[in-house]
Amino acid sequence: MFCPSRTLRLTFMNCPTMLIFITLAAFLGQVVSALRLQKMEVPTAVSSGDPVRLNCTYNLESEQLYSVKWYKNNVEFYRYLPNDNPPAQKYNLLGVYVDLNKSRFGQVYLSRSDLNTEGTYRCEVSAEAPTFQTERAERELRVYTLPKGGPKIHGTKAQYSPGDEVNVTCTAAPSKPVAVIKWYINDEKAPENSVKALATKRHPDGLQSSKSALRFNVLPSHLKNNALKLRCTAIISQAYSMKSKEIIIGNTVRPSGLYTAADGPTISGGLPKYQVGDLVDVGCTSSKSQNPAKLAWSINDKMASPDLTVYQPPVVDNMGLKASVLELKFTVKAEHFHKGEMRLKCTATLYKVINTSSEETVIGVSHLSSGLHVLENSEKVHNNGSRSSTASWVSIVSTCFVIILLF
């Protein structure tokens, strides 16, 4: 059927429904916006007290800028509107210390950081009328605090004999993240059945200290050159790379557009759309790396319970690089939908040991006590994973020897 197209009104009055949609699509296609979000930079981890630089780079092309806005945990703290006077404004938010003199357009400078600075940061760029197109992306930022001293061993006796029970504890100094304690007997990892993790202590400043107990009976085989050596090591690992992929489930399944990293995790499987009662069965695969990333699923920004996720064997290539695989499986319920949509996000995190400290006790046939020895091996990890000699990521090894007579 011939359809006149001299006016949009004639198209609506005389054309079949299908041709109306085609005509409208062609008409609207002439008003496609060119706004693109090119880069979003948020450091994965910073040391408490350090300044923070946030960057949101965009390309307007034929569009005019309406606004650039920054949010932390969905609360706005900075906006730039070129038509306002002044164009840049900040809003007080706990842990976010914006310096307007060093902030411009989508680049925001935080003069310092503390534990309250940690959170999810989102940048939103909007074009002017008539499109008001908005592009957005978000990243997580974590704050770490290194301990001011090494761990301490408590409960050693003045003397032991074969058959005596060793019952000692090790307490790590306060830090964030909390330290993981490992025990060694004569430089060999202590048997799991002799080690017990004790309750973590939370301090008023937000730091945490871990505690672990070692308990076993002294055997003749424990004596190496008439000495028994116990070592407690506190290890602090911090995320240095976090990348996410998110999908929105409603009448269709589509990417959320909040995460644009090309080397982020991938989500596979699932149905074209979901309803209440359907089974969600999807997988998340990280990019390949030497040490496989740790994966985590969240449903509507809340961490999925462990019973809904299952790790599959990692994928290994011919170079020895590994990719982690984590499945998410659950039945859709009405409460999963908010305004008709449900968000599923998979986050891949790579960790790096940033602090290792130890205390060592040697029980033998002579008595010798050394002082505290501190060795520094400074290393800084940038956003791109490169290394620097700047003393930022510190590894402290402190060893205290106490040699006690054995009878």
Side-chain angles (χ1 to χ4, degrees):
M1 177 186 296
F2 173 76
C3 174
S5 58
R6 287 174 295 176
T7 66
L8 189 60
R9 184 177 63 83
L10 287 176
T11 302
F12 276 107
M13 291 174 59
N14 302 321
C15 294
T17 303
M18 181 178 297
L19 289 182
I20 290 175
F21 287 142
I22 294 174
T23 305
L24 282 174
F27 174 77
L28 295 174
Q30 299 174 5
V31 199
V32 176
S33 173
L35 171 64
R36 290 183 292 112
L37 188 60
Q38 292 181 313
K39 183 186 295 184
M40 181 187 181
E41 295 174 306
V42 175
T44 298
V46 297
S47 178
S48 181
D50 285 355
V52 180
R53 294 183 183 274
L54 310 174
N55 177 43
C56 194
T57 304
Y58 49 89
N59 190 334
L60 291 168
E61 295 189 2
S62 61
E63 295 283 355
Q64 295 295 317
L65 178 66
Y66 172 69
S67 69
V68 181
K69 298 180 180 180
W70 276 94
Y71 300 79
K72 173 180 172 282
N73 296 340
N74 297 318
V75 179
E76 185 181 357
F77 64 85
Y78 172 87
R79 66 168 54 184
Y80 180 88
L81 281 74
N83 294 327
D84 279 5
N85 188 20
Q89 300 178 46
K90 67 176 181 178
Y91 305 97
N92 292 331
L93 185 61
L94 184 65
V96 181
Y97 310 98
V98 177
D99 185 340
L100 284 179
N101 294 325
K102 296 184 178 180
S103 301
R104 182 173 173 81
F105 300 109
Q107 299 177 4
V108 178
Y109 181 80
L110 308 185
S111 58
R112 61 188 177 92
S113 60
D114 55 34
L115 297 185
N116 294 311
T117 308
E118 188 168 277
T120 300
Y121 287 77
R122 183 172 80 245
C123 171
E124 289 187 355
V125 182
S126 299
E128 264 286 8
T131 64
F132 287 111
Q133 179 193 357
T134 298
E135 295 293 325
R136 58 181 64 87
E138 65 181 37
R139 300 285 185 272
E140 289 187 53
L141 181 149
R142 294 185 178 180
V143 178
Y144 67 89
T145 301
L146 296 179
K148 295 182 179 179
K152 300 296 180 184
I153 296 177
H154 305 278
T156 56
K157 296 181 179 180
Q159 60 184 37
Y160 289 93
S161 298
D164 285 351
E165 182 183 66
V166 174
N167 188 359
V168 294
T169 59
C170 175
T171 303
S175 65
K176 184 182 183 302
V178 65
V180 175
I181 294 178
K182 294 185 178 181
W183 281 103
Y184 296 86
I185 303 173
N186 293 330
D187 294 326
E188 294 183 4
K189 189 175 179 180
E192 292 185 5
N193 59 6
S194 65
V195 176
K196 181 180 180 181
L198 303 178
T200 297
K201 182 179 179 180
R202 186 178 296 273
H203 301 269
D205 57 3
L207 303 183
Q208 298 181 68
S209 54
S210 53
K211 191 174 184 179
S212 177
L214 176 66
R215 186 173 182 177
F216 68 98
N217 291 323
V218 178
L219 300 175
S221 58
H222 285 140
L223 299 179
K224 306 295 182 180
N225 297 321
N226 294 321
L228 169 65
K229 183 165 64 176
L230 305 178
R231 186 169 85 250
C232 159
T233 299
I235 301 172
I236 300 174
S237 299
Q238 175 62 58
Y240 72 89
S241 174
M242 297 178 66
K243 294 182 173 65
S244 301
K245 185 65 64 66
E246 185 179 63
I247 58 175
I248 299 176
I249 291 177
N251 293 328
T252 60
V253 177
R254 68 185 191 278
S256 71
L258 285 175
Y259 306 94
T260 57
D263 57 346
T266 58
I267 296 176
S268 59
L271 304 174
K273 61 180 180 179
Y274 288 88
Q275 304 179 64
V276 174
D278 288 343
L279 177 67
V280 173
D281 188 359
V282 291
C284 177
T285 304
S286 70
S287 298
K288 293 178 180 178
S289 55
Q290 187 171 5
N291 295 312
K294 182 179 180 181
L295 297 175
W297 278 102
S298 61
I299 304 173
N300 296 327
D301 294 323
K302 294 184 178 179
M303 190 70 67
S305 61
D307 59 307
L308 303 182
T309 60
V310 178
Y311 263 107
Q312 298 298 328
V315 178
V316 184
D317 66 9
N318 55 9
M319 299 294 291
L321 300 179
K322 300 178 181 179
S324 302
V325 181
L326 183 65
E327 289 187 347
L328 174 68
K329 184 181 294 186
F330 66 97
T331 301
V332 178
K333 298 180 181 179
E335 57 263 31
H336 286 139
F337 288 100
H338 178 65
K339 295 182 180 181
E341 293 184 340
M342 171 174 60
R343 292 174 175 266
L344 302 182
K345 182 174 69 175
C346 176
T347 301
T349 305
L350 292 172
Y351 289 88
K352 182 180 182 64
V353 174
I354 58 173
N355 183 275
T356 303
S357 53
S358 301
E359 181 170 67
E360 193 169 84
T361 296
V362 179
I363 305 167
V365 296
S366 61
H367 183 82
L368 175 64
S369 179
S370 71
L372 183 67
H373 301 280
V374 178
L375 301 176
E376 286 193 0
N377 179 17
S378 302
E379 182 175 43
K380 185 172 184 177
V381 177
H382 299 282
N383 291 340
N384 61 6
S386 63
R387 296 182 176 182
S388 168
S389 60
T390 306
S392 175
W393 299 71
V394 183
S395 175
I396 302 174
V397 181
S398 54
T399 307
C400 180
F401 296 94
V402 179
I403 302 179
I404 305 171
L405 294 178
L406 252 183
F407 294 93

